Amino acid sequence: RSGAEVGGDIELRIEPQEKDLGEFTVRRVLPAARRRMIGPFIFFDHMGPAQFAPGKGIAVRPHPHIGLATLTYLFAGEIMHRDSLGFVQPIRPGAVNLMTAGRGIVHSERAGDDLDTESHLHGIQSWMALPDDKLEIDPAFEHYPADSLPEVAVGGVPVRVIMGTAYEQTSPVLQHSPTLYFEARLKQGQSLRLPREYAELGVYVVEGNVVIDAHDYGVGTLAVAAAGASITVEANADSRIMVLGGDPVGPRHIWWNFVAADRERMEQAKQDWRAGRFAAVPGDDEFIPLPD
């Protein structure tokens, strides 16, 4: 997990930590040693692209969260979400599953209806730390179908606003603190000037290769904007980027699947999971034990 200072409009380049999960590989850029968060984003995982043989697929057993909201966004494939509130919701490309953990929730993520055939999976999983006044709110789950997210062409570049407001388009997705999250697809030679209304900003390259402030950024790389910088992204290949940011929510501790403002709350969550005090996921009676 590495970060290098860049200078100019980009403060930091973060290269991913690759994790082999057996069936597929995940690239993780947040949290990084040199940068824990960008706005509320405290965890950012790029899943795949992966190809599964029939009968194979993602199989994440029930596990707990506190103090955060998770957002799953797919480019290809399908994931079946189940949680301790009783929600059962497949997510498919372009849609959003937003799960707010608050004081505590348990969920599983498994292969969808495509398990019996050869299937693909490609997407981003991100966690946003909740602000101080929402750390202990009731857990909740919202699903937003793909056609509910606004799309706009900016200088010919298609932009989908996943969370927050960009280019005069506002996403319906609930935000717990000022947050920006959007997808842009640039053809080779196109450029996109990024919004400046947010305190912190990052650009993650999903596909292709882009140039920012005369530096190249390839797949899996996160460019962290300097404070107040005016960023223009230029594509020197057909590219897909995710832009993430927002206002900071304050320092947070992160351990396993828990995010907390203080260590005592983290320890309580550990004890609660070990003792079976979290609610169960109806219809999914497996679970991931607390790590050593």
Side-chain angles (χ1 to χ4, degrees), residues 56-242:
K56 299 287 188 180
I58 187 171
V60 181
R61 293 169 290 161
H63 58 280
H65 291 285
I66 65 164
L68 56 84
T70 70
L71 194 153
T72 305
Y73 186 82
L74 297 182
F75 310 117
E78 180 176 324
I79 295 175
M80 180 64 76
H81 163 97
R82 291 181 177 85
D83 64 40
S84 50
L85 299 176
F87 286 98
V88 179
Q89 175 64 57
I91 182 168
R92 301 183 178 100
V96 164
N97 274 5
L98 180 74
M99 185 183 75
T100 302
R103 58 181 169 77
I105 198 169
V106 179
H107 75 134
S108 65
E109 294 160 301
R110 297 187 181 273
D113 293 336
D114 52 3
L115 187 62
D116 295 335
T117 61
E118 185 178 280
S119 61
H120 300 266
L121 184 66
H122 190 202
I124 304 285
Q125 283 212 308
S126 53
W127 299 356
M128 290 148 288
L130 296 173
D132 288 344
D133 62 343
K134 294 184 178 178
L135 283 167
E136 299 295 331
I137 60 174
D138 290 342
F141 177 82
E142 284 93 16
H143 174 78
Y144 300 87
D147 61 9
S148 70
L149 300 186
E151 295 196 31
V152 61
V154 182
V157 175
V159 170
R160 296 192 83 227
V161 183
I162 300 167
M163 186 176 271
T165 299
Y167 310 108
E168 301 181 352
Q169 305 294 315
T170 298
S171 167
V173 175
L174 173 69
Q175 51 181 328
H176 294 290
S177 63
T179 305
L180 176 66
Y181 194 29
F182 68 82
E183 172 191 7
R185 287 173 290 124
L186 296 87
K187 295 287 189 187
Q188 182 175 355
Q190 288 186 318
S191 63
L192 180 68
R193 181 178 290 272
L194 303 187
R196 295 187 62 181
E197 297 84 359
Y198 294 86
E200 299 181 351
L201 203 66
V203 180
Y204 179 78
V205 183
V206 177
E207 297 167 352
N209 192 279
V210 303
V211 177
I212 307 171
D213 198 21
H215 289 87
D216 273 31
Y217 296 88
V219 173
T221 310
L222 176 65
V224 183
S230 178
I231 302 293
T232 297
V233 179
E234 302 172 52
N236 49 15
D238 289 356
S239 301
R240 186 198 302 260
I241 61 171
M242 304 298 278

